[in-house]
């Protein structure tokens, strides 16, 4: 590989950073930088105009013709409907009454909600938007530190791609030839571990820096009758909804993707029950859903173009070349791969990162020697889950951090990007802690699949 | 010395999957060796350049140079190509190849692909498939009524005649859907591959024979203009390596199933066979479906007529030439 | 100047109206899913067709709203630096971005999308699963319609930014996040 061939694709990343900070929409910065490099690549004979046809193929084949992504608008609809119809507010009011003695009670509730949502969908955009809609206004109103609010929502919403079911694990299963069931069960404990780390961190902050997450003012204790009424109004309807969504999956009526539709439908019924449903409300929800959804899919369209051009200009080869040039083995190679994946997460989504790394390193990783730490036949599974945990960070790390974008847009009026950047630092560190634990203690990954006898 | 060929080859199956992907990887390495490095066919994972189902258009447009897939993948675009991949109750490999190479199949194949600017060379062969994984034992085809199965293609159409409801489902939903009973079963590939996919973890009844898909051809699609620009030597090198890939695919496919079946059985999977009476009913449904396809699409009709005529005549040789166990 | 502003308004309005109508696809989508889930256990309605319809509705929803999203200022921006830019600087960035990023993007998709659509029409392409929906060209046409509306929205932004740069006072509502989502 010549120096030029290595530098050209990597310079795409540099230009992207500069362009993104112009403040022009992210989706179109990605597309524009990608297209600019097709021209540069063309000048050096590395790109032919006919290859641009694949921009259409990719937007159509992986974004439009895709039954998983259908869950996104339905979950967004559900979140906005719950929020606009006042159902969410009742829920959070009652939660904060119930949790008022617990430091950081609202933030804890967000982590729990994010974990539950993660079990019903693998779609980060949907979870982040929904959690933002439901929780952010109340958190800000209660005087929660904006950084913490942003970090907890973004990281809890991102759990969906790790905790099964998850499209990421399915694609990794394909690329690595590991049964999906192994990956699904292997990801459960690491997913809950991350969720647990978030909870512990929040409790910690709540205890030692209570100003960042103030408890609700000590109001006169509610008479029991009022409290029960509040619980009935605020707690029962959304609980019924959660049971409906989870129940439709567990009962074998709906797939996790379809459960999003069940939830959206149920949220509408709740609004009707709540007597806040009007045609105007419906129109508001529909328009807000369409706009948020268009924002998410605009990013998908731009990102697929950008990643494609990066690959055509030899970006994957440049990365693999750099890794191989270091000539590392075993633990050192594993560590290097984790660092590379983490760094790639600043610019790419999980799909492109797995496509760059997994096919090339599958045969190499299978032959690595980790002594007694990991049985030979489970190395690949353990490695896959470590990669999956690592990829959690890709949603949070700027400049290309999808969870940040969703949060920024759904929470506009409450948060600035600066708040968000500040807020995600501790949570990214927690994710890396989770990764380190999964690597140091392989049993966290391997125990459950082994126990279930797969 | 011929000019060097450096092509990108998009795959529609991951390189890690036995046969579906490994045959494509083998093509990549063999062509490099046979051509002394003159021809490079670089294997790209599905979706790395182009999403699997968009590959046909991409090759036709010259946006990728080549693709490794099966003609049956394009049933929604060019129904006739299904005749060249695998037909329900279709022939075993020798008979299929006899028709394709000597019974007029290849001419029709070239003509059909040629219409879309594609040159294709048959480049692999898979062993027969299993006919599905079921949560519950299916005593006879009558038990299929009302079942929800993830099933595609001509087989799905035939099963529809027994009251089966075919489901698409998003890929991450398949596992939980089968686990929780949203679907009752699914079609996958063959023991060696299904072992890797892990559906034995939640469905324990595995049915044979794969009536919906016996031997399956894989092919190397190439942009026709690019193929035409190759030298005779280069064309021969590609055709030879592909021919060898078919030989390899058949041999490997037959060899790897038994160890996989043993492993599946050790994991508690029950292997079932459809009864002759059931197969006869399924055959009846398949005949109806094929008749519908023949009526709907002239190219399908032409390709199928050629195949059926060959099969009819060949049956004499099949009956007298081969021992019946 | 007023011609610029007027044409900007017309272009943006077209993109907006298309998006506002397409937004209702989400309601049909939810109803389709619920119909499939509720009936699947009892009758064979043709789940493959319904499931094909789900992503058809969703493709229509997001493609036809791309331009609408741009007009409404909903496409997320990294605005940590750009908050501090003057109105003229912001207009210049909008002009350059719309002309150099969005226009070529739309033109590429439209130029290569046309043969993509035409081939589907010529083949009378249907669902590869055979039991799904026929006439793929209908849904594929939403790709071209969607990127056309994005193109119109970009042209509208170019005209509006030009007007600002040429001295017309910037419109009171900034294009960024006019809609307050969350309350
Ligand atoms: Na999930
Ligand atoms: Na990132």
């Amino acid at each position: 590989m010549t120096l030029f061939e290595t530098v050209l694709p990597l310079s795409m990343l540099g230009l992207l950073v500069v362009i993104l900070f112009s403040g022009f929409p992210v989706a179109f910065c990605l597309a524009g930088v990608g297209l600019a490099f097709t021209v540069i690549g063309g000048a050096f004979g590395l790109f032919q105009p006919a290859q641009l046809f694949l921009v259409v193929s990719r937007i159509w084949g992986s974004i439009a013709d895709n039954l998983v992504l259908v869950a996104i608008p339905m979950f967004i609809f559900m979140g906005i409907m719950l929020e606009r119809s006042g159902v969410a507010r009742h829920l959070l009011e009652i939660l904060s009454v119930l949790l008022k003695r617990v430091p950081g009670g609202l933030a804890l509730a967000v982590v729990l909600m994010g974990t539950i949502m993660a079990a019903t969908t693998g779609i980060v955009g949907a979870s982040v938007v929904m959690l933002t809609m439901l929780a952010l206004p109340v958190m800000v109103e209660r005087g929660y530190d904006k950084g913490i609010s942003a970090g907890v929502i973004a990281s809890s919403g991102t759990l969906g791609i790790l905790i099964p079911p998850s499209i990421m694990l399915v694609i990794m299963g394909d690329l690595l030839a590991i049964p999906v069931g192994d990956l699904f069960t292997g990801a459960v404990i690491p997913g809950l571990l991350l969720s647990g780390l978030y909870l512990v961190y929040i409790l910690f902050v709540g205890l030692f820096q209570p100003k960042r997450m103030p408890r609700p003012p000590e109001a006169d204790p509610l008479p029991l009758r009022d409290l029960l009424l509040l619980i009935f109004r605020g707690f029962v309807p959304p609980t019924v909804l959660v049971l409906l969504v989870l129940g439709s999956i567990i009962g074998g009526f709906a797939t996790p993707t379809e459960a999003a539709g069940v939830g959206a439908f149920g949220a509408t019924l709740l609004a009707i029950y709540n007597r806040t449903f009007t045609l105007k409300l419906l129109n508001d929800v529909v328009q807000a859903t369409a706009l948020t959804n268009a924002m998410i899919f605009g990013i998908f369209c731009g990102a697929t173009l950008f990643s494609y051009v990066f690959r055509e200009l030899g970006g994957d080869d440049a990365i693999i070349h750099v890794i191989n040039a270091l000539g590392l083995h075993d633990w050192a190679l594993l560590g290097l791969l984790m660092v590379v994946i983490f760094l790639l997460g600043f610019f790419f989504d999980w799909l492109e990162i797995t496509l760059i790394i997994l096919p090339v390193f599958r045969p190499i990783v299978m032959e690595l020697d980790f002594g007694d730490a990991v049985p030979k036949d489970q190395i690949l599974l353990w490695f896959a889950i470590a990669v999956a945990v690592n990829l959690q960070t890709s949603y949070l790390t700027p400049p290309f951090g999808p969870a940040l974008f969703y949060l920024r847009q759904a929470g506009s009026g409450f948060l600035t990007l600066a708040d968000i950047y500040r807020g995600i630092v501790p949570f990214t560190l927690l994710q890396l802690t989770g990764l380190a634990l999964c690597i140091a203690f392989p049993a966290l990954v391997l125990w459950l699949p082994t126990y279930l006898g797969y | 010395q011929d000019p060097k060929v450096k092509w990108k080859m998009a795959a529609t199956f991951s390189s890690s999957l036995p046969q579906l992907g490994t045959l494509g990887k083998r093509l990549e390495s063999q062509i490099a060796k046979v051509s002394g490095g003159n021809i490079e066919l670089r294997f790209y994972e599905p979706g790395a350049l182009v999403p699997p189902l968009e590959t046909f258009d991409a090759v036709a447009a010259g946006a990728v140079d080549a693709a490794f897939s099966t003609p049956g993948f394009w049933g929604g675009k060019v129904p006739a190509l299904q005749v060249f991949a695998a037909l329900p109750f279709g022939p075993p490999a020798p008979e299929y190849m006899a028709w394709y190479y000597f019974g007029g199949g290849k001419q029709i194949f070239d003509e059909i692909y040629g219409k879309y600017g594609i040159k294709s060379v048959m480049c692999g062969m898979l062993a027969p498939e299993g006919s599905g994984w079921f949560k519950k034992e299916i005593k006879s085809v009558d038990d299929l009524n009302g079942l929800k199965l993830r099933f595609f293609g001509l087989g799905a159409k035939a099963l529809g005649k027994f009251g089966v409801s075919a489901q698409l489902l998003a890929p991450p939903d398949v596992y939980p859907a089968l686990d929780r009973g949203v679907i009752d079963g699914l079609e996958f590939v063959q023991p060696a591959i299904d072992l890797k996919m892990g559906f034995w973890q939640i469905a324990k009844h595995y049915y044979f024979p794969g009536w919906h898909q016996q031997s399956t051809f894989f092919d190397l699609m190439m942009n026709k203009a690019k193929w035409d620009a190759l030298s005779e030597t280069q064309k021969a090198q590609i055709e030879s390596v592909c021919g060898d890939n078919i030989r390899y695919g058949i041999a490997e496919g037959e060899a790897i199933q038994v160890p996989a079946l043993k492993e599946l059985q050790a994991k508690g999977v029950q292997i079932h066979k459809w009864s002759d009476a059931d197969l006869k009913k399924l055959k009846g449904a398949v005949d109806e479906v094929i008749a519908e396809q023949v009526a709907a699409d002239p190219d399908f009709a032409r390709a199928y007529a050629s195949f059926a005529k060959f099969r009819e005549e060949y049956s004499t040789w099949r009956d007298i030439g081969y021992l019946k166990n | 100047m007023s011609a610029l502003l007027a044409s900007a308004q017309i272009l943006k309005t077209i993109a907006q109206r298309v998006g506002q109508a397409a937004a209702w696809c989400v309601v049909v989508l939810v109803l389709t899913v619920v119909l499939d889930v509720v009936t699947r256990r009892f009758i064979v309605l043709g789940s493959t067709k319904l499931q094909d319809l789900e992503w058809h509705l969703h493709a229509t929803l997001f493609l036809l709203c791309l331009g609408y999203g741009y007009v409404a200022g909903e496409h997320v921006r990294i605005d940590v630096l750009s908050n501090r830019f003057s109105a003229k600087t912001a207009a210049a960035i909008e002009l350059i971005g719309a002309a150099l990023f969005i226009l070529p993007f739309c033109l590429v998709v439209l130029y290569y999308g046309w043969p993509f659509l035409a081939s589907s029409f010529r083949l009378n392409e249907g669902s590869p699963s055979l039991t799904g929906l026929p006439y793929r060209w209908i849904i594929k046409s939403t790709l071209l319609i969607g990127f056309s509306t994005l193109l119109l929205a970009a042209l509208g932004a170019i005209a509006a930014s030009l007007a600002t740069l040429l001295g017309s006072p910037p419109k009171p509502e900034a294009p960024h996040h006019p809609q307050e989502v969350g309350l």
Side-chain angles (χ1 to χ4, degrees):
Chain A
M1 251 188 136
T2 65
L3 185 63
F4 176 73
E5 284 170 329
T6 314
V7 168
L8 179 69
L10 297 180
S11 63
M12 275 183 86
L13 308 181
L15 182 64
L16 178 67
V17 174
V18 175
I19 297 288
L20 280 175
F21 281 94
S22 72
F24 199 67
V26 171
F28 308 128
C29 291
L30 287 160
V33 172
L35 287 175
F37 271 80
T38 63
V39 177
I40 299 172
F44 291 97
L46 296 170
F47 198 90
Q48 313 301 325
Q51 290 171 285
L52 284 172
F53 182 82
L54 295 189
V55 172
V56 170
S57 306
R58 288 167 70 97
I59 291 176
W60 190 260
S62 62
I63 303 172
D65 184 353
N66 187 325
L67 211 43
V68 193
L69 300 179
V70 167
I72 294 183
M74 297 192 290
F75 267 118
I76 295 174
F77 181 94
M78 176 177 171
I80 299 181
M81 179 61 88
L82 289 175
E83 201 273 327
R84 302 263 164 116
S85 64
V87 175
R89 175 154 289 265
H90 290 317
L91 173 67
L92 281 154
E93 272 167 11
I94 186 67
L95 274 178
S96 62
V97 168
L98 294 177
L99 294 171
K100 75 178 168 198
R101 307 219 169 274
V102 186
L106 264 178
L108 296 176
V110 168
V111 177
L112 294 177
M113 262 199 277
T115 311
I116 291 174
M117 282 201 65
T120 69
T121 174
I123 305 299
V124 171
S127 310
V128 171
V129 169
M130 190 150 138
L131 290 174
T132 310
M133 292 287 164
L134 298 186
L136 186 64
V138 186
M139 292 174 97
V140 171
E141 187 183 303
R142 289 285 147 78
Y144 270 52
D145 177 84
K146 288 184 177 176
I148 282 221
S149 309
V152 74
I153 290 174
S155 55
S156 307
T158 302
L159 285 171
I161 198 76
L162 179 62
I163 294 177
S166 146
I167 179 64
M168 178 173 84
L169 296 176
V170 171
I171 300 273
M172 289 174 78
D174 247 19
L175 290 172
L176 296 172
I178 305 178
V180 174
D182 286 0
L183 287 168
F184 276 14
T185 48
V188 169
I189 292 178
L192 296 177
L193 172 73
L194 285 187
S195 170
L197 287 172
Y198 303 155
L199 291 174
V200 169
Y201 172 74
I202 291 162
L203 278 173
F204 195 81
V205 174
L207 280 175
F208 294 99
Q209 300 175 315
K211 276 192 196 143
R212 298 176 69 193
M213 291 189 287
R215 298 184 202 182
E218 203 59 51
D220 300 325
L222 282 175
L224 186 63
R225 210 180 71 95
D226 288 5
L227 185 67
L228 287 177
L229 192 69
L230 191 64
I231 290 180
F232 187 76
R233 274 196 353 163
F235 211 55
V236 173
T239 310
V240 169
L241 184 61
V242 170
L243 289 180
L244 188 69
V245 171
L246 286 180
S248 68
I249 297 174
I250 296 167
F253 285 93
T255 66
T257 301
E258 292 163 349
V262 174
F265 189 71
T268 314
L269 294 184
L270 278 189
I272 294 171
Y273 167 82
N274 216 23
R275 306 208 179 148
T276 42
F277 183 86
T278 58
L279 269 183
K280 179 175 179 318
L281 176 91
L282 181 62
N283 185 46
D284 287 353
V285 173
V286 162
Q287 300 301 328
T289 302
L291 289 172
T292 306
N293 189 59
M295 181 270 291
I296 294 177
F297 281 83
I299 293 178
F300 288 171
C301 292
T304 198
L305 194 164
F306 182 85
S307 320
Y308 165 64
V309 176
F310 181 78
R311 179 162 294 133
E312 286 284 27
L313 295 186
D316 297 12
D317 298 336
I319 290 162
I320 303 297
H321 178 73
V322 170
I323 296 175
N324 285 334
L326 293 174
L328 300 177
H329 300 285
D330 303 332
W331 289 103
L333 177 59
L334 179 74
L336 175 67
L337 287 177
M338 290 300 148
V339 171
V340 169
I341 290 169
F342 176 70
L343 293 178
L344 285 175
F346 286 68
F347 299 98
F348 297 101
D349 59 27
W350 63 264
L351 179 62
E352 303 301 338
I353 299 173
T354 51
L355 281 170
I356 294 171
I357 298 291
L358 297 187
V360 177
F361 286 98
R362 173 178 179 266
I364 297 168
V365 167
M366 282 169 85
E367 296 309 318
L368 295 185
D369 183 3
F370 297 102
D372 297 334
V374 190
K376 196 104 190 151
D377 61 340
Q378 290 189 309
I379 287 180
L380 213 48
L381 173 60
W382 172 62
F383 173 72
I385 298 296
V387 172
V389 172
N390 196 343
L391 287 171
Q392 289 276 292
T393 63
S394 72
Y395 279 93
L396 301 192
T397 47
F400 184 72
L404 313 182
F405 300 148
Y406 310 150
L407 179 59
R408 169 72 185 82
Q409 210 58 7
S412 62
F414 295 102
L415 291 174
T416 64
L417 262 179
D419 296 328
I420 298 175
Y421 286 161
R422 190 163 49 79
I424 53 101
V425 174
F427 288 90
T428 305
L429 293 175
L430 289 170
Q431 290 171 336
L432 292 176
T433 309
L435 172 63
L437 288 172
C438 289
I439 290 179
F441 305 101
L444 287 171
V445 175
L446 299 175
W447 177 77
L448 191 60
T450 312
Y451 176 78
L452 290 174
Y454 289 166
Chain B
Q1 179 66 25
D2 295 323
K4 200 164 156 43
V5 171
K6 223 176 148 191
W7 279 0
K8 292 174 180 164
M9 175 174 76
T12 54
F13 297 94
S14 162
S15 66
S16 66
L17 294 177
Q19 296 223 288
L20 304 175
T22 52
L23 285 175
K25 285 299 273 187
R26 183 175 184 276
L27 170 63
E28 178 187 46
S29 61
Q30 290 298 104
I31 194 72
K33 287 183 205 157
V34 167
S35 69
N38 176 253
I39 301 179
E40 180 187 319
L41 274 183
R42 180 160 174 194
F43 183 102
Y44 280 86
E45 298 290 336
L49 294 179
V50 56
L53 283 167
E54 301 302 322
T55 308
F56 183 95
D57 287 6
V59 175
V64 293
D65 309 296
F68 187 75
S69 184
T70 167
F73 226 69
W74 318 118
K77 291 178 189 287
V78 187
L81 287 176
Q82 294 172 104
V83 180
F84 300 91
L87 285 164
F89 291 93
E95 184 184 344
Y96 215 169
M97 290 193 291
W99 167 65
Y100 180 78
Y101 290 110
F102 296 97
K106 186 168 178 301
Q107 286 77 356
I108 304 176
F109 183 73
D110 286 342
E111 205 185 303
I112 291 175
Y113 262 127
K115 282 197 217 173
Y116 308 106
I118 295 174
K119 162 69 190 181
S120 179
V121 176
M122 287 299 191
C123 206
M125 178 77 89
L126 305 191
E129 302 207 339
S131 72
W133 291 86
F134 292 84
K135 294 268 284 187
K136 296 200 190 96
E137 188 178 348
I138 309 294
K139 293 261 171 27
S140 79
V141 287
D142 302 323
D143 286 359
L144 292 171
N145 187 23
L147 289 193
K148 300 173 292 300
L149 304 179
R150 192 170 191 254
F151 230 83
F152 305 99
L154 296 169
K157 280 202 147 175
L159 285 174
K161 309 222 177 263
F162 294 92
V164 165
S165 149
Q167 307 285 323
L168 284 180
L169 305 193
D173 289 347
V174 174
Y175 192 89
L178 185 59
D179 189 30
R180 304 311 316 161
V182 178
I183 55 172
D184 305 290
L186 49 83
E187 166 201 357
F188 235 82
V189 199
Q190 46 170 266
I193 300 168
D194 290 359
L195 177 66
K196 300 260 184 196
M197 305 302 271
F199 289 108
W200 48 269
Q201 295 171 345
I202 40 181
K204 294 288 183 196
H205 301 276
Y206 195 9
Y207 277 75
F208 290 91
W211 55 269
H212 69 292
Q213 200 159 338
Q214 288 281 299
S215 297
T216 307
F217 269 122
F218 264 56
D219 67 336
L220 172 69
M221 294 192 292
M222 293 162 284
N223 181 270
K224 190 154 186 316
K226 294 182 182 175
W227 164 264
D228 290 341
L230 298 180
S231 74
E232 290 308 310
T233 309
Q234 289 169 325
K235 288 180 183 172
Q237 283 167 334
I238 291 177
E239 282 177 332
S240 304
V241 171
C242 277
D244 180 57
N245 224 31
I246 293 179
R247 185 268 309 163
Y248 188 90
I250 295 173
E252 185 195 44
E254 296 302 321
I256 59 180
Q257 308 307 332
V258 173
L261 274 176
K262 281 188 182 152
E263 196 173 336
L264 286 170
Q265 278 174 309
K267 292 176 188 299
V269 171
Q270 293 183 40
I271 310 288
H272 301 274
K273 284 195 73 175
W274 298 107
S275 71
D276 288 347
D278 284 341
L279 286 174
K280 211 171 152 216
K281 285 187 197 168
L282 287 164
K283 176 87 166 59
V286 164
D287 288 342
E288 279 178 48
V289 167
I290 298 230
E292 288 162 21
Q293 290 284 315
V294 164
D297 185 74
D299 272 342
F300 188 100
R302 194 157 62 98
Y304 190 77
S306 160
F307 167 74
K309 178 162 168 286
F310 179 87
R311 200 160 205 208
E312 172 68 31
E313 288 173 0
Y314 175 82
S315 64
T316 319
W317 171 243
R318 186 178 53 209
D319 286 347
I320 62 163
Y322 286 89
L323 288 166
K324 304 267 176 318
N325 300 318
Chain C
M1 181 70 67
S2 58
L4 265 182
L5 284 173
S7 50
Q9 201 48 49
I10 293 171
L11 293 166
K12 287 179 174 179
T13 308
I14 297 173
Q16 197 178 7
R17 290 286 150 76
V18 172
Q20 282 169 337
W24 286 89
C25 285
V26 70
V27 174
V28 189
L29 170 61
V30 169
L31 293 175
T32 307
V33 170
V34 171
L35 177 74
D36 188 24
V37 168
V38 170
T39 58
R40 188 161 49 203
R41 291 240 160 165
F42 314 106
I43 38 170
V44 180
L45 267 185
S47 284
T48 316
K49 289 191 175 62
L50 289 173
Q51 288 157 17
D52 259 342
L53 181 62
E54 287 170 19
W55 72 256
H56 285 204
L57 285 164
H58 179 242
T60 312
L61 172 67
F62 85 82
L63 286 166
L64 268 52
C65 289
L66 287 176
Y68 176 32
Y70 183 53
V71 172
E74 280 282 322
H75 286 293
V76 69
R77 299 158 184 265
I78 295 187
D79 51 6
V80 277
L81 300 180
S82 60
N83 305 349
R84 296 170 207 161
F85 296 165
S86 70
K88 290 242 170 184
T89 313
I93 288 177
E94 209 62 28
L95 176 67
I96 295 170
L100 291 184
F101 291 1
I102 304 186
L103 280 191
F105 184 32
C106 293
L107 292 176
V108 162
V109 172
L110 293 175
Y111 180 81
Y112 292 96
W114 180 250
F116 174 77
L117 174 65
S119 146
S120 177
F121 182 79
R122 209 169 46 239
L123 296 175
N124 193 20
E125 185 186 4
S127 169
S129 59
L130 296 198
T131 43
L133 292 179
Y135 311 126
R136 273 277 158 100
W137 58 270
I138 298 177
I139 187 62
K140 284 187 170 176
S141 65
T142 57
L143 179 73
L144 276 80
I145 303 171
F147 274 83
S148 302
T149 61
L150 180 58
L151 183 75
L152 296 183
L155 290 173
I158 290 174
S161 321
L162 265 181
T164 306
L165 288 173
L166 294 176
S168 150
K171 295 226 291 207
E173 6 91 85
H176 305 46
H177 333 299
Q179 180 169 15
E180 203 178 325
V181 181
L183 262 185

